[in-house]
Amino acid sequence: MNRLASLAGLLVLVAGCGDDDGGATTDAGVDAAAAFEDAARADAGPIMCSTTADAALVLPTPDPAQDSCGATRVVDLDLFARHDGVALHYDGTLPASSRADIPTGVSNPSGKEVVHRLMLGGKVDLFVTSGGALDHSLCWSTSCAAGQAPPRGQCSRVGSGSLPIAHGELTVRGVGPGRLDLVVDAYDAAASVPGAAYSLDIRVRPVLALNAPCDPRARANRCDSNLSCHGAGAAARCAPATAPTLVKAAVVNENGIDWYTIDAMSADADVDRIRVEGLSATGVVQRTSEYDTNNAVGLAHFRSRPKGTASPLSPMYRIRLLSTSDLESVPATVTAQPMPIRAAAAVCDRFAVFDRCAAGHACEGPTGALDGTCVAGKTPSLTALAAYTLPDGSRRLVVDGVDDDGDQYMLELVFLDAGGNEVAIEPNQNGAAASSPSYAYLQHTEGASPFRSMRDIAAAAFVGVPLVTQVRVTVYDLLGLKSSTLTASFVPIPTRAAGDSCDTFGRGDLCQGSVPLLCAGTCQPLADLRAASCAAATPLSLGVPVTGQLPRQASRFGGNCGRPEAAEVIYTVDVPEQMDLEVSTLFEDTSLDTIVTIAPACDSLASGSVCHDSVSSNARQSVAVLRDAAPGRYYVFVDAWSQLYPNGGVGPFKVEARPRRLLSLGATCDAQGVANRCACNASCLGDPSFTAFVCR
């Protein structure tokens, strides 16, 4: 199903410290899911932002004379889509009327607080991130009361009293329906400065009952305890779950870090997180932490290294898996061990989380296998080197070589002046000190052998140093094996005219003319090439995923939120009415580090377009959302973040365009926000039994 934008249960923000609404819930309305699409079609047409059928929700005003709980703040949260759910975002400041009534246990009792009251329409998980200049802690409670501290496990420390603030994170699992209070508590009296800014981002994940339609990847929603999402696509339903299996666990120490390492299996493919307990030498629990398993694409059997901490923390660790349905594996108790180094021909972990092969060796095995065999790596060799000066003063290195492993990735560079003296250069222009030799990643590498690669170095790197006339280059691979060295003198880069043969990727020459040119076998007008690509765009039907392949050619449009050189595949999507348009490559079939762009016109990626790079650091697929898309034709660009190793900007992907319809006030709505959402700054609110939901 992969419906990643959803709102469940419903969040309604109210003031005061009164009783819960007392309403019962029946699956937060998910049993009515089949009616949502019909309701959306019935309510299609012009969006109406006023109605007499349903009065606007009235929120009471807090009384500053009351304590912090009674003066719960009414916040007007801006609802916006995220790739992994619907988030509520709020930018606020500490009011002058705030008081120090709630000791949180992680802040000084003198710190003043702001309380935000949420009424949950059903059972949900909340993922809260806070930040801002206010040095604060963040806590949650279902029974806010002056003088009553929330349990320490319900708080997340953000600041430190003296260090800059980055952000804080708080996870609240399985709460609702009913009231929940978020407490933003200043660290101490000194931090309680009126007007000090803070922010809240709240992601909502519905918790669903037996037989409810569900997201197999547990992003848009998850099934309740003892249940898991079985099936695929629209047929997926919450059904009884089986506990995950911890095949193997270890804590490997590498570079002073204890890494929690797992081999996990689950028949339900729903391993969500690991729990790590630090034990004393006698087995007493000293600390407990939970971490995401980094299984972003929902594999049934995988290996992962979810987290590492500076060692030593504990003499022993007890590790167990937890599923999205809160079922636990049998735990394993382990001690930290140095990272095992496997010799040649030994069995090894292809993912290098449990062990590594000895220097100069790689773990090779069949595609999809977890284990392999340590084999000697192939040393890369350089066959040619060209060094160019570009018209803007930048320098370009074009490297030809052979590497049967296809894992060449790093250049060692030594720059020389006319006298043969080494010149210290910082080729990456990232603020690091200039040095000799210096190091830079290869660009435009396709991970193949033989290979042709290149590196551009900005003109700024050569300012204030002796004139560089030569460069000496060595190539390293991922195993640390290095080639012999070649030296080349810098010469002006060759230029080609329209119609001339040229380097397809523009590495060893430049197409120049009276109009912008690009190499496509020969130098051709860029406008003509773009027009041809737009004319050849493939129609993409709403709700129908298709597979594609990025071509091995130069980019004709440039990057929008990535590097500009990776090629693109273009699709057209026709939007029949105003709606949110989501385009996703979040499929196991997508092996590339993709970028997705949605644009209203094919000849420009800048005006009115949106793009998205990666879902997370562990899942490089993309989900772009264009909100409030007007009726008409849109262009979808799928390209790669770059042509860097290992993907090379070439490879397969799967993409799907998904509609989310916009509804007027008074319309029946999908409480999960999958099929539709309320326009007019309205919310999808449930009746007291949460069996019917209407835009209000």
Side-chain angles (χ1 to χ4, degrees):
M1 185 161 81
N2 297 321
R3 302 293 185 183
L4 301 183
S6 69
L7 171 62
L10 159 79
L11 281 156
V12 186
L13 292 153
V14 302
C17 220
D19 295 334
D20 295 349
D21 60 29
T25 180
T26 58
D27 305 345
V30 295
D31 288 335
F36 291 147
E37 284 287 355
D38 293 337
R41 283 189 287 271
D43 289 307
I47 296 173
M48 305 299 293
C49 290
S50 64
T51 177
T52 57
D54 196 7
L57 179 67
V58 178
L59 300 181
T61 302
D63 181 0
Q66 299 185 54
D67 62 33
S68 293
C69 291
T72 300
R73 199 170 200 184
V74 178
V75 292
D76 182 15
L77 294 178
D78 171 41
L79 195 65
F80 62 96
R82 290 281 180 87
H83 69 266
D84 51 359
V86 170
L88 301 173
H89 175 77
Y90 177 69
D91 291 310
T93 58
L94 188 69
S97 60
S98 61
R99 300 164 50 148
D101 293 326
I102 307 172
T104 64
V106 293
S107 297
N108 189 294
S110 63
K112 297 181 178 181
E113 63 271 331
V114 181
V115 179
H116 294 290
R117 173 76 34 88
L118 291 77
M119 293 303 297
L120 307 175
K123 191 173 184 180
V124 298
D125 297 335
L126 298 178
F127 304 90
V128 186
T129 300
S130 67
L134 176 66
D135 186 357
H136 65 282
S137 59
L138 182 66
C139 301
W140 67 274
S141 173
T142 56
S143 56
C144 173
Q148 178 179 324
R152 191 177 183 88
Q154 295 176 194
C155 295
S156 173
R157 180 79 180 98
V158 178
S160 62
S162 60
L163 297 177
I165 309 305
H167 68 279
E169 295 181 349
L170 191 65
T171 298
V172 188
R173 289 180 58 86
V175 292
R179 157 187 160 188
L180 184 135
D181 296 320
L182 288 177
V183 181
V184 180
D185 188 26
Y187 180 71
D188 55 19
S192 302
V193 179
Y198 65 93
S199 65
L200 296 175
D201 283 295
I202 307 171
R203 181 166 70 87
V204 184
R205 182 171 65 178
V207 179
L208 306 180
L210 182 68
N211 297 324
C214 52
D215 177 2
R217 299 177 189 271
R219 288 180 178 80
N221 50 59
R222 73 170 174 92
C223 297
D224 208 343
S225 298
N226 302 315
L227 303 175
S228 65
C229 192
H230 290 249
R237 295 292 185 273
C238 290
T242 57
T245 300
L246 183 60
V247 179
K248 180 167 57 173
V251 177
V252 294
N253 186 276
E254 190 172 32
N255 301 321
I257 302 294
D258 279 352
W259 294 96
Y260 311 132
T261 306
I262 57 171
D263 185 320
M265 291 184 66
S266 171
D268 302 323
D270 65 344
V271 179
D272 184 53
R273 59 204 189 280
I274 69 167
R275 180 178 296 153
V276 179
E277 296 172 314
L279 308 178
S280 69
T282 58
V284 177
V285 177
Q286 298 174 318
R287 60 185 59 83
T288 301
S289 301
E290 290 187 4
Y291 307 104
D292 189 297
T293 58
N294 297 336
N295 184 25
V297 294
L299 299 177
H301 190 187
F302 66 96
R303 288 178 178 171
S304 179
R305 183 182 291 181
K307 186 68 175 180
T309 56
S311 60
L313 275 184
S314 299
M316 296 186 296
Y317 299 91
R318 185 160 56 218
I319 298 174
R320 73 189 77 213
L321 304 173
L322 292 90
S323 68
T324 57
S325 53
D326 297 321
L327 295 178
E328 300 182 0
S329 70
V330 175
T333 300
V334 296
T335 58
Q337 302 290 334
M339 170 65 81
I341 305 299
R342 305 303 184 197
V347 175
C348 51
D349 177 7
R350 289 188 63 237
F351 294 87
V353 295
F354 282 100
D355 55 47
R356 296 190 189 280
C357 293
H361 291 72
C363 189
E364 296 186 358
T367 300
L370 297 178
D371 292 320
T373 304
C374 289
V375 298
K378 305 296 195 313
T379 301
S381 62
L382 285 180
T383 57
L385 171 66
Y388 300 115
T389 302
L390 276 63
D392 63 358
S394 60
R395 308 293 180 98
R396 174 171 296 175
L397 307 177
V398 179
V399 178
D400 287 282
V402 175
D403 187 1
D404 292 336
D405 293 330
D407 64 346
Q408 67 285 348
Y409 86 114
M410 181 71 75
L411 295 174
E412 181 182 82
L413 307 174
V414 177
F415 295 94
L416 307 172
D417 63 15
N421 303 304
E422 293 187 12
V423 179
I425 295 291
E426 169 40 47
N428 304 300
Q429 291 293 285
N430 58 7
S435 64
S436 183
S438 56
Y439 297 88
Y441 290 107
L442 289 166
Q443 292 174 339
H444 297 293
T445 301
E446 285 105 35
S449 182
F451 64 90
R452 167 167 285 190
S453 186
M454 78 121 184
R455 177 73 198 201
D456 280 345
I457 304 170
F462 300 92
V463 174
V465 300
L467 179 64
V468 170
T469 61
Q470 289 183 306
V471 63
R472 192 161 60 227
V473 175
T474 307
V475 172
Y476 283 80
D477 68 11
L478 290 172
L479 302 179
L481 301 175
K482 65 178 183 178
S483 69
S484 56
T485 299
L486 292 180
T487 301
S489 297
F490 283 99
V491 297
I493 191 166
T495 58
R496 312 296 184 201
D500 289 349
S501 296
C502 52
D503 185 332
T504 300
F505 288 95
R507 299 165 180 166
D509 53 32
L510 290 179
C511 290
Q512 290 188 328
S514 57
V515 297
L517 302 176
L518 184 71
C519 184
T522 60
C523 291
Q524 302 179 40
L526 178 58
D528 293 348
L529 293 173
R530 287 184 171 181
S533 294
C534 293
T538 302
L540 192 62
S541 299
L542 291 172
V544 180
V546 299
T547 57
Q549 175 88 19
L550 285 185
R552 195 179 300 273
Q553 66 183 33
S555 172
R556 299 180 178 184
F557 291 85
N560 199 13
C561 50
R563 300 180 60 86
E565 73 273 4
E568 56 277 311
V569 174
I570 307 175
Y571 298 91
T572 60
V573 179
D574 291 328
V575 172
E577 62 187 64
Q578 186 175 358
M579 64 175 60
D580 293 344
L581 177 62
E582 176 187 285
V583 180
S584 172
T585 61
L586 188 56
F587 298 93
E588 290 182 35
D589 296 343
T590 301
S591 62
L592 288 169
D593 183 353
T594 58
I595 289 176
V596 168
T597 302
I598 307 172
C602 189
D603 58 355
S604 175
L605 301 187
S607 177
S609 65
V610 296
C611 70
H612 186 260
D613 181 7
S614 297
V615 169
S616 71
S617 60
N618 301 293
R620 300 303 179 89
Q621 299 95 334
S622 312
V623 181
V625 178
L626 179 62
R627 289 174 62 85
D628 300 310
R633 173 160 292 183
Y634 291 84
Y635 292 84
V636 171
F637 294 75
V638 179
D639 63 5
W641 185 83
S642 77
Q643 289 183 335
L644 290 173
Y645 178 86
N647 290 324
V650 176
F653 62 86
K654 179 179 283 189
V655 62
E656 181 182 3
R658 303 163 183 155
R660 185 168 62 221
R661 293 176 171 82
L662 306 181
L663 303 181
S664 303
L665 287 175
T668 301
C669 51
D670 177 0
Q672 297 185 50
V674 175
N676 51 60
R677 72 170 175 88
C678 298
C680 313
N681 294 319
S683 296
C684 187
L685 304 183
D687 61 15
S689 66
F690 295 100
T691 56
F693 291 81
V694 175
C695 290
R696 292 191 288 176

